[in-house]
Amino acid sequence: FRSGSDSDMGRNRRPSSSSYSSRVSAAGPVMTMIFVTSSDNKLSEVQRVLKRPVARSDIHLIEPQEVELDPVVIAKAQQAYEKLQVPVVVDDSGLFIASWNGLPGALVRWFLQRVGAEGICAMVNRSVSREATAQTAVAYHDGKVKIFRGTVKGYVSEFPRGNNGFGYDSIFVPVGSDKTFGEMDPAEKDYFSMRRLAFEALMADDDIARSLV
């Protein structure tokens, strides 16, 4: 297991109670979305693609060390719901390289820390294929867990390109573009984004959409 929430480890701040704003509609209580993350970049992307209020909590979570995303977001959502006792949203993303049998997947953060974006590119340069898939899984917990996914096909660039974005953005090129996410402005990245696809799938759930401000 790894300790921490998203990219920032060791932080344990609760938002004030005003962050958990709610109102009552004819259909029942309506809540502001509470996104549990310590990443400013993730929060900005979610607010941008949803165009709606998103409250953040960056409570301390323990994340399983898994290649696949579902076990990670399920564990994070369960912990967040137990701590906050209100509906919560968590996410995680991974880079799944075809010639590596899906590695590093959700462990990409550790690959970036150990060998860097340049190191990943150098190793892929020696592989038979550059094909890769970027995925985001979003888990919503209101007493039970629902998972929503966004998947974008593409490939790993020969070397890191671009200074925008975060994580593996500088080395992933989505199908339909010749730019890495790191070379795109926010609007262009959002167009291709697996996080946008996952959060749009969440908001397409009628029960969840009705419960949120």
Side-chain angles (χ1 to χ4, degrees):
F1 282 71
R2 71 177 179 259
S3 175
S5 175
D6 301 308
S7 60
D8 299 330
M9 303 177 70
R11 300 174 65 186
N12 188 19
R13 293 189 291 108
R14 283 180 185 267
S16 66
S17 59
S18 62
S19 296
Y20 306 140
S21 61
S22 64
R23 60 181 173 82
V24 176
S25 71
V30 182
M31 298 289 295
T32 299
M33 180 185 291
I34 299 173
F35 183 34
V36 181
T37 182
S38 61
S39 169
D40 293 338
N41 291 308
K42 286 187 179 182
L43 180 66
S44 295
E45 280 196 6
V46 171
Q47 290 177 324
R48 201 167 61 234
V49 300
L50 294 184
K51 299 179 175 64
R52 61 179 299 117
V54 178
R56 176 169 72 173
S57 171
D58 62 358
I59 56 173
H60 180 78
L61 301 176
I62 297 173
E63 300 182 14
Q65 298 301 287
E66 299 277 356
V67 174
E68 301 301 327
L69 294 171
D70 283 12
V72 178
V73 295
I74 289 170
K76 289 166 65 173
Q78 289 172 336
Q79 293 174 68
Y81 183 78
E82 288 171 3
K83 290 185 177 186
L84 299 179
Q85 292 297 300
V86 293
V88 293
V89 177
V90 302
D91 86 345
D92 205 4
S93 295
L95 180 66
F96 299 82
I97 299 173
S99 59
W100 295 3
N101 293 322
L103 285 172
L107 301 175
V108 64
R109 171 189 171 193
W110 302 108
F111 278 61
L112 289 167
Q113 287 187 0
R114 288 289 185 173
V115 302
E118 298 87 351
I120 294 175
C121 290
M123 289 187 286
V124 172
N125 288 343
R126 297 192 292 270
S127 300
V128 296
S129 170
R130 315 193 66 80
E131 181 182 347
T133 301
Q135 294 182 358
T136 293
V138 174
Y140 176 86
H141 199 323
D142 62 354
K144 62 181 179 181
V145 179
K146 290 184 177 181
I147 299 177
F148 306 88
R149 302 170 187 86
T151 300
V152 176
K153 298 288 188 180
Y155 63 92
V156 176
S157 57
E158 294 182 2
F159 52 87
R161 306 195 319 248
N163 298 313
N164 298 326
F166 59 101
Y168 54 86
D169 283 353
S170 66
I171 64 173
F172 181 73
V173 182
V175 169
S177 177
D178 58 2
K179 296 180 182 178
T180 67
F181 279 157
E183 295 176 298
M184 297 179 182
D185 62 33
E188 190 173 8
K189 181 185 176 184
D190 292 346
Y191 176 80
F192 291 100
S193 171
M194 65 282 180
R195 180 165 286 109
R196 174 185 62 79
L197 294 172
F199 273 90
E200 286 182 350
L202 177 143
M203 295 308 301
D205 183 290
D206 290 340
D207 291 337
I208 294 174
R210 279 196 298 265
S211 72
L212 295 172
V213 173

